[in-house]
Amino acid sequence: MRTVRTPLTRRATPAPSATLATPALRAPRSAARRSAAAVLAAAALLGLAAPSAVAASPSPAPSARDGEAAAPTEAGTSFRAATAVRPGQRATAQASTGDYLYWQFPADAGDRATVRATVTLPETSARRSGTTWRIDVYDGLRRRQACRYGSDTRTLAADARTADLTCHLRTVRAWAEPWSGDPLPGAYYVRLTAVGVAATDAGLPFDAALDVTIEDAGGAAAVDGRLAAPLVQGSSATVEPEGGWSSGWWSTRWLWTAGGAALAALAGVWGHTLTRGPGRPGGTQGRP
């Protein structure tokens, strides 16, 4: 029998060129990885630098609150042209020695107002003598209101630069007799000026600042009665408290009155309990 031999098939060996191509393909991949890492590192550095740049940038200056008027920077020269100032604001103005500066603010029943004014002269002032500065406060009827205490007049020496003036007013009453002169609800006018100015010092510049603070006196200052309308005469600016003018009928005296009535009723019940006795005497028969 004849034997048939099948020829063996040999595997083809890879060409040398295919073996050498593998490092060539890896080289672009490693370069792409290095470039991606460089991009990520740069992004990280930019991310770290951004907060520092924001922190180093100057922040915007604070502005006035929304809906709130800015403090005035000038003053009027008469009652009708008085500049309106709200309590808590600091009004400023620049003027010449001898000028009259006018401001106005609202004061309602039960308010105790305090007016503070500051006069500042420049460092290179050419004054040759002392100057007396004064503030006057007038109510809505143009009546001058006396200060309870404070320094409403101050003399500034020739070498001094600052004078502080203060006037603590009396409590505003909801109603008063016309002859009493008590402060009533309405507009109050502040006038700042220099008195007894020498001719050589007249016209020299100065800076003025005004602060008005108001405290509530409570029910101790309440009275029976009220005005038909606050004393606000015609002027270039209209002043009014933030919450409007009070009606004048409500005060904490109503709470004290109600509390006293309740205590009186309880005292009456307690007194009746003590004086009525235990009831009918023993052995006494009631009526049929």
Side-chain angles (χ1 to χ4, degrees), residues 28 39 49 52 98 111 127 130 136 138 163 202 207 239 241 250 264 274 280:
V39 171
S52 60
D111 291 345
R127 290 183 303 122
D136 299 303
Y138 300 86
D207 296 334
V239 293
W250 169 257
L274 292 178
R280 295 180 179 276

Side-chain angles (χ1 to χ4, degrees), residues 96-101 119 127 129-136 138 144 152-156 165 191-199 201-202 206:
S96 300
T97 305
D99 293 343
Y100 288 86
L101 304 183
V119 177
R127 290 183 303 122
S129 61
T131 307
T132 301
W133 296 87
R134 177 177 177 176
I135 55 172
D136 299 303
Y138 300 86
R144 185 178 183 274
D152 57 348
T153 303
R154 188 174 295 276
T155 300
L156 195 63
L165 308 172
R191 182 177 68 184
L192 172 65
T193 186
V195 295
V197 181
D201 296 339
F206 71 93

